[in-house]
Amino acid sequence: MNNEYDEITVKNENPLLKILKWTLSIILVVLLIILIIWLVKGTSKNNNGLDPLLNRIFTDNINIMKDAAKDYYSVDKVPQKEGETYKLTLKEMIDLKLLLPLTDKYGDTCDVNKSYTEITKVGDKYMLKVNLSCGKEEDHIIVYLGCYNFCKNYVCEVEDEDKEEVVISNPSCTLKVVKGTGSNGKYTSDVVIGFASKKASTGASITDYGVGLKVNYEDSIYTVKSYGKTKVYGYVKDSNGKTAVCNITVEKVKQTPVEVGSPSCSLKVVSGTLNSNGTYKSDIVIGFDKVNAGKNATLKGSGVGITTNYTNKTFTVTDEGTTKVYGYVKNSSGKTATCSIEVTKETKVVRYEYLYEKEFDNEYSEWSDWSENKVYTENDNITWGQQELVWNEKNGAKKITKTTYEVDKNSPIWQVKYVKIGTYNDYVCDGYTYFRDGSTSTTYETTEFVYSHKLTNVSSIPNDTATTKYEFKGINYAVCKNTCTSKPVYIVDVYTRKVTAKTETEGELSAKCNVKTVSIPVYGTKSTLIGYNKNQIETITYEYYYHTKTRTLIKEAYTSQIWSTSENDKYLLSQGYKYTGVKREI
């Protein structure tokens, strides 16, 4: 009965109540949809309805970075020098597992490179700057840290009541020589002075600077041109309005002229195939053997060729015959020099002989006694010591004094000579020889000079006369010996002739001979340079000796060598000979 009543009750529910339930349900659904839409729009980037809440996200993020930095910067990780700064990016903090990646109010990740912490030592405290960059939003905070016994990590944030005034350092600068020839403060050229360093005070930047002899903030360099010592000043100013002055002293001195020598050179054959006679059968390449720029100079150019040049390092001789090749050098002072070498190219058909050898066991005789001393020089290329058949040993030396004589241009030898000084027209016998003495104005008939005798011990050369002529033949070193330089003894050949004065008048002379008027020479005396004395020079050399021992082969104990015109001589090969690889031109 009850079930039936209940079922009837449901079926007979009031229609108005049913409509009301449906209406309320629809209203609730609409309100729920509106609320969802409103919430979604509130989280969009263009909705400012939740700005206070969203802005809190940026503040929380920057505080997270600050707290992580405070935990990281322990005593061993903070700057030790005044003004020194350490920087740690957000990326580095994440890599060190100091915090997790930070996201902004839109859910985007903050910039890990532009976001950073920076700690700077200021007096006995530290200034911590925390900079956060998320999208278009970027800001920073600054807190001060100190080392106190209540810090959990030795370094912690300074409370407001403990804050002290930050000590800001002054700006500073130093100067240096930018350009100049010299050292140790002394220069021979103009000296250019510039800044070596410029440092602003704490938290500031350099705004103005300059270099000069008086205050200026315009010229970045100053050039010292005056001789003597000069003190140059540097001036800096920073954004805090603070200034600093630094200075440097340099001295410009005059350069002492340097003596410059002349260059020199020598040439050599760089490559070429020789003939047996010293000529070459191939092209010959000539190059420098030695090149010297000269004292206090550097080489500015060098060249090889048959015409002047300072660029070609080699020259190739291709022409047959003898060619003279020149080397040209020039140094930094403009001085030049040349050197040369002559080479001959001679092409011909070449034939060879080939050397074959066969080894035999050797048996030697006893060594002989030492030989008599023999003379040697360093150019003899003697092999010293015991060899196969010869034993060479050095055996003393002998001192040799050699006297030579060198012409002394400062010690001339003069002689009064009887020489022709003019001509004179006079009547004389045809067919005879005449001359006129200029000092007596007398005409003489004369014969030719003939050798008379020799003087070997005279201290000066006698003067010539009309009848006697003295010819200087040299210095008698056998007589003057060690005094030939200071007291020379001369050798003189003496020549004489007969002269007869002409005293007849023209008429008287006509009775004797056929008279003609002719031009005859006029002689007189004249001081004449006939030579120079010589300085005696003694040269000491040594004659070196060596002696030898020898021995001989007494059996078929030798290396047999046979030259063949064949490079593959089958007969010699069958006899046990081997080709050595050596060949010679024939």
Side-chain angles (χ1 to χ4, degrees):
M1 233 13 223
N2 289 337
N3 291 337
E4 291 179 358
Y5 178 78
D6 291 337
E7 184 178 349
I8 293 172
T9 301
V10 171
K11 291 180 177 180
N12 295 317
E13 186 177 0
N14 190 331
L16 182 63
L17 180 61
K18 187 176 181 180
I19 293 171
L20 180 62
K21 287 182 178 180
W22 278 103
T23 302
L24 289 173
S25 297
I26 293 171
I27 291 171
L28 287 173
V29 170
V30 170
L31 289 174
L32 181 60
I33 292 172
I34 292 172
L35 178 61
I36 292 172
I37 293 172
W38 181 79
L39 289 174
V40 170
K41 288 185 178 180
T43 59
S44 70
K45 293 182 180 180
N46 295 322
N47 189 0
N48 296 323
L50 298 178
D51 274 355
L53 177 61
L54 297 179
N55 287 340
R56 179 71 183 178
I57 294 175
F58 187 89
T59 302
D60 290 344
N61 283 338
I62 206 167
N63 284 327
I64 290 171
M65 284 183 66
K66 180 190 75 171
D67 293 339
K70 287 166 56 181
D71 291 339
Y72 173 76
Y73 287 119
S74 56
V75 172
D76 60 329
K77 296 177 183 176
V78 295
Q80 302 301 314
K81 297 181 181 179
E82 177 69 20
E84 189 175 11
T85 299
Y86 289 173
K87 184 177 180 180
L88 194 65
T89 66
L90 177 57
K91 181 180 184 306
E92 292 171 327
M93 296 177 75
I94 294 172
D95 291 342
L96 292 171
K97 304 301 182 182
L98 299 177
L99 42 69
L100 297 174
L102 302 178
T103 56
D104 61 10
K105 58 190 176 183
Y106 304 120
D108 296 330
T109 303
C110 295
D111 193 314
V112 295
N113 294 314
K114 291 184 180 180
S115 303
Y116 63 88
T117 63
E118 194 175 69
I119 188 167
T120 303
K121 182 171 176 58
V122 182
D124 59 352
K125 295 180 176 61
Y126 301 93
M127 180 178 71
L128 176 64
K129 177 181 177 181
V130 182
N131 188 81
L132 180 62
S133 176
C134 300
K136 295 182 179 180
E137 189 174 9
E138 184 172 359
D139 206 345
H140 71 271
I141 63 173
I142 293 177
V143 296
Y144 289 89
L145 308 178
C147 297
Y148 305 99
N149 56 9
F150 56 80
C151 296
K152 296 180 180 179
N153 197 32
Y154 301 106
V155 180
C156 60
E157 189 171 349
V158 180
E159 300 297 334
D160 289 342
E161 62 269 22
D162 294 332
K163 288 185 180 179
E164 297 180 4
E165 182 180 355
V166 177
V167 178
I168 301 178
S169 63
N170 290 322
S172 63
C173 64
T174 57
L175 297 177
K176 67 178 181 179
V177 174
V178 177
K179 183 179 180 182
T181 302
S183 60
N184 299 324
K186 293 188 177 181
Y187 299 86
T188 56
S189 66
D190 290 349
V191 190
V192 180
I193 304 299
F195 281 103
S197 67
K198 302 186 292 291
K199 184 178 180 182
S201 57
T202 304
S205 61
I206 298 295
T207 57
D208 298 289
Y209 58 88
V211 183
L213 301 182
K214 58 183 179 180
V215 178
N216 85 82
Y217 292 97
E218 297 178 358
D219 303 322
S220 61
I221 60 172
Y222 179 80
T223 302
V224 177
K225 298 183 177 181
S226 302
Y227 288 104
K229 290 185 177 180
T230 302
K231 181 178 282 190
V232 182
Y233 297 87
Y235 307 90
V236 294
K237 182 187 296 182
D238 66 17
S239 55
N240 284 336
K242 294 194 175 187
T243 61
V245 181
C246 49
N247 66 77
I248 187 174
T249 300
V250 295
E251 183 178 3
K252 183 179 177 183
V253 297
K254 293 184 178 180
Q255 188 172 9
T256 304
V258 177
E259 179 186 356
V260 179
S262 298
S264 62
C265 64
S266 61
L267 299 175
K268 66 178 180 180
V269 174
V270 176
S271 65
T273 305
L274 275 168
N275 292 315
S276 58
N277 60 356
T279 62
Y280 291 84
K281 56 190 174 186
S282 66
D283 289 348
I284 313 159
V285 179
I286 305 298
F288 282 108
D289 181 25
K290 294 179 181 178
V291 176
N292 191 323
K295 182 180 179 182
N296 298 319
T298 56
L299 194 66
K300 288 299 182 182
S302 62
V304 182
I306 55 177
T307 59
T308 304
N309 76 87
Y310 295 98
T311 55
N312 301 328
K313 300 308 177 187
T314 62
F315 178 82
T316 302
V317 177
T318 58
D319 296 336
E320 291 282 326
T322 300
T323 302
K324 191 170 187 178
V325 183
Y326 295 88
Y328 307 91
V329 291
K330 177 168 56 178
N331 68 14
S332 52
S333 69
K335 293 184 177 182
T336 61
T338 61
C339 48
S340 64
I341 188 173
E342 282 191 355
V343 291
T344 302
K345 181 180 178 182
E346 187 177 34
T347 305
K348 63 180 181 179
V349 178
V350 180
R351 291 186 302 150
Y352 294 99
E353 282 185 332
Y354 303 91
L355 180 62
Y356 290 80
E357 288 185 351
K358 183 178 180 181
E359 297 290 340
F360 294 90
D361 291 335
N362 294 328
E363 184 178 342
Y364 302 99
S365 65
E366 295 294 326
W367 286 104
S368 67
D369 294 332
W370 288 111
S371 68
E372 295 293 329
N373 277 342
K374 294 180 279 189
V375 177
Y376 75 92
T377 67
E378 294 299 326
N379 296 326
D380 289 338
N381 295 321
I382 297 173
T383 302
W384 303 109
Q386 182 177 330
Q387 301 164 66
E388 183 184 7
L389 300 176
V390 180
W391 188 344
N392 296 316
E393 292 291 346
K394 297 178 182 180
N395 197 31
K398 181 175 74 174
K399 180 178 178 182
I400 299 174
T401 303
K402 182 180 179 181
T403 302
T404 58
Y405 298 90
E406 184 181 71
V407 172
D408 184 359
K409 292 291 186 179
N410 295 318
S411 181
I413 302 173
W414 297 89
Q415 180 188 7
V416 176
K417 303 290 287 183
Y418 196 65
V419 297
K420 180 180 177 180
I421 60 175
T423 59
Y424 179 77
N425 291 328
D426 202 356
Y427 60 91
V428 295
C429 288
D430 187 19
Y432 292 87
T433 302
Y434 292 87
F435 73 91
R436 188 175 181 85
D437 187 87
S439 61
T440 63
S441 299
T442 302
T443 299
Y444 293 91
E445 179 189 342
T446 181
T447 61
E448 294 295 328
F449 279 106
V450 295
Y451 176 77
S452 173
H453 60 282
K454 184 185 295 287
L455 300 177
T456 60
N457 192 7
V458 292
S459 59
S460 61
I461 311 301
N463 296 334
D464 285 354
T465 65
T467 60
T468 307
K469 179 172 66 173
Y470 300 93
E471 284 193 2
F472 171 64
K473 304 304 289 184
I475 299 172
N476 194 341
Y477 298 105
V479 176
C480 57
K481 296 182 179 178
N482 294 333
T483 62
C484 290
T485 300
S486 58
K487 295 180 181 180
V489 174
Y490 302 111
I491 301 172
V492 178
D493 283 345
V494 181
Y495 296 83
T496 60
R497 68 178 175 180
K498 293 181 181 181
V499 298
T500 304
K502 178 176 73 69
T503 58
E504 298 93 343
T505 65
E506 186 174 358
E508 291 172 340
L509 194 59
S510 296
K512 294 174 156 186
C513 63
N514 181 24
V515 175
K516 285 186 177 182
T517 299
V518 297
S519 176
I520 62 175
V522 179
Y523 280 81
T525 57
K526 180 181 179 182
S527 183
T528 305
L529 177 64
I530 62 170
Y532 294 90
N533 287 311
K534 296 183 179 180
N535 292 325
Q536 180 178 308
I537 300 172
E538 283 192 355
T539 304
I540 297 176
T541 59
Y542 291 88
E543 189 173 70
Y544 297 95
Y545 302 106
Y546 75 106
H547 57 185
T548 62
K549 285 183 177 183
T550 60
R551 64 178 178 179
T552 58
L553 292 171
I554 59 177
K555 287 185 178 180
E556 291 184 1
Y558 59 91
T559 299
S560 177
Q561 294 183 331
I562 298 178
W563 290 94
S564 171
T565 57
S566 173
E567 193 174 0
N568 186 25
D569 194 317
K570 296 185 181 300
Y571 174 76
L572 290 177
L573 292 173
S574 67
Q575 297 299 309
Y577 284 84
K578 294 180 180 179
Y579 174 48
T580 63
V582 177
K583 63 182 180 180
R584 67 183 178 186
E585 198 176 311
I586 58 174

